[in-house]
Amino acid sequence: MSKVLLLVGHPDLSQSKANAALVDAVRDLPHVTVHDLYAAYPDFQIDVAAEQALLAEHDVIVFQHPVYWYHTTPLFRLWQDKVLTLGWAFTMDGTPKQLAGKKAVVAVTAGVNAEDYTPEGWIKATVESLLGSWEATLRLCQFDIQPMFKVYGTILDLSDEELASAAKQYNELLASFAAA
């Protein structure tokens, strides 16, 4: 059974509707470890060794956060800088390191609708292009990159039914890794 590490980077999960619903949908899966970065590090003092140990003992890493100023949240960005280090997570010559071959999923919530995240829409860019640094980082670390999981409209008009459907899909996605 593959072990899944869900790294949650929401600044205040207790005030989140969408991110909290996603976490709640998978919290009881026996192979999933939920790790709320803001709860663990309210002072932004990341325990690098502990984080690297968590990554090493899991087979699938899910990076969940809201789209925050067209990027990830501040603590998640700091986490990347501190934890995904040269020599541990990657090398400059491509020699496989600790994370090579592990599956990675970026799971995001976006406040506006999907059509706003198009070249023709209000944002004038896709979520994938705005979060391109995730893909580059994951590729550098030699993760097996899985499709991005996206929930749109979380501030504007996501209905309770649509959120429940997204949470169910998220549960199914993370549950699918149990047999992987």
Side-chain angles (χ1 to χ4, degrees):
M1 175 183 292
S2 292
K3 291 174 61 178
V4 176
L5 175 61
L6 173 55
L7 294 168
V8 182
H10 190 286
D12 187 354
L13 202 53
S14 70
Q15 297 299 310
S16 168
K17 183 176 178 182
N19 276 272
L22 295 179
V23 170
D24 288 345
V26 301
R27 187 179 303 279
D28 294 332
L29 293 174
H31 65 290
V32 174
T33 302
V34 176
H35 184 44
D36 181 347
L37 294 176
Y38 278 87
Y41 304 113
D43 58 0
F44 280 52
Q45 298 302 307
I46 297 169
D47 182 339
V48 173
E51 294 302 306
Q52 289 176 340
L54 269 175
L55 289 168
E57 64 191 41
H58 289 83
D59 309 298
V60 179
I61 314 300
V62 180
F63 303 92
Q64 179 187 322
H65 62 86
V67 176
Y68 198 86
W69 285 107
Y70 311 114
H71 203 278
T72 187
T73 56
L75 180 57
F76 225 147
R77 180 68 200 129
L78 180 64
W79 182 94
Q80 291 171 330
D81 291 342
K82 297 287 187 182
V83 176
L84 302 179
T85 57
L86 175 63
W88 187 85
F90 67 95
T91 62
M92 297 312 288
D93 66 2
T95 303
K97 295 310 278 181
Q98 299 294 325
L99 305 173
K102 292 179 184 278
K103 290 184 178 356
V105 176
V106 175
V108 297
T109 58
V112 297
N113 296 314
E115 54 270 9
D116 294 321
Y117 280 99
T118 64
E120 302 77 27
W122 178 62
I123 305 294
K124 303 287 186 219
T126 64
V127 167
E128 291 83 358
S129 66
L130 293 169
L131 299 177
S133 60
W134 260 128
E135 183 173 341
T137 299
L138 298 175
R139 197 171 44 253
L140 178 66
C141 296
Q142 299 181 1
F143 275 102
D144 176 3
I145 303 170
Q146 304 297 298
M148 187 179 285
F149 184 88
K150 301 168 281 199
V151 179
Y152 292 101
T154 60
I155 293 174
L156 291 181
D157 60 4
L158 185 68
S159 70
D160 289 343
E161 293 78 23
E162 290 168 322
L163 181 55
S165 175
K168 181 178 184 288
Q169 291 170 10
Y170 199 51
N171 175 284
E172 291 168 356
L173 173 64
L174 271 57
S176 75
F177 292 120

